Amino acid sequence: MQIRTKLTILIAALLPGVVLATPYDGIYRQVANADCALVGVDGGSIEIRDGLFHGVETQCRMVNPVNVVNMDATLYDMECAGEGAQWAERAMVMHSADRLGIIMVWNGYAFRYDRCEIPE
């Protein structure tokens, strides 16, 4: 096991309340003409930051990441809350083929979100 991997495991074990960034962190458009400054509203954008998914009036903790074999994708347990309810689901997140956005797959639904700002 690499030293970096061991260090990551040690830090995660010692600091369970700390949320780490995901490879998908960023702000993404819900639709082509979305206002990227408006996160979590219809017609605005969604955001993934430090293991939290901010959707339309919904926030989900992205926990228990599992790399999907032979894919640039990660499967997460999503612990969600919004509109007075709480629930848990699984979701798979992957970079789009052109790396300009992400694809998010929930049971029976798939969404492509383009990144609001393209990293250099």
Side-chain angles (χ1 to χ4, degrees):
M1 191 181 297
Q2 295 178 350
I3 292 174
R4 184 177 184 189
T5 303
K6 288 180 183 178
L7 183 59
T8 301
I9 292 169
L10 178 62
I11 290 170
L14 293 175
L15 302 171
V18 173
V19 180
L20 302 175
T22 75
Y24 311 103
D25 280 14
I27 298 174
Y28 301 91
R29 300 174 187 281
Q30 289 182 50
V31 293
N33 60 349
D35 184 344
C36 290
L38 298 176
V39 174
V41 299
D42 283 325
S45 59
I46 59 133
E47 181 178 24
I48 297 174
R49 180 175 22 100
D50 298 331
L52 292 174
F53 168 76
H54 302 270
V56 177
E57 298 181 16
T58 300
Q59 183 173 318
C60 302
R61 288 185 55 230
M62 302 168 70
V63 297
N64 303 323
V66 176
N67 290 330
V68 179
V69 177
N70 295 325
M71 293 179 70
D72 180 19
T74 309
L75 183 63
Y76 291 95
D77 290 331
M78 307 292 275
E79 298 173 351
C80 304
E83 298 182 351
Q86 293 183 343
W87 65 96
E89 290 193 35
R90 296 197 49 132
M92 184 172 64
V93 183
M94 68 184 81
H95 292 286
S96 58
D98 58 12
R99 310 256 332 151
L100 298 178
I102 59 171
I103 297 168
M104 191 170 219
V105 180
W106 301 76
N107 188 20
Y109 301 94
F111 303 93
R112 180 193 163 114
Y113 300 111
D114 290 324
R115 186 178 287 278
C116 283
E117 294 182 21
I118 307 302
E120 293 180 20

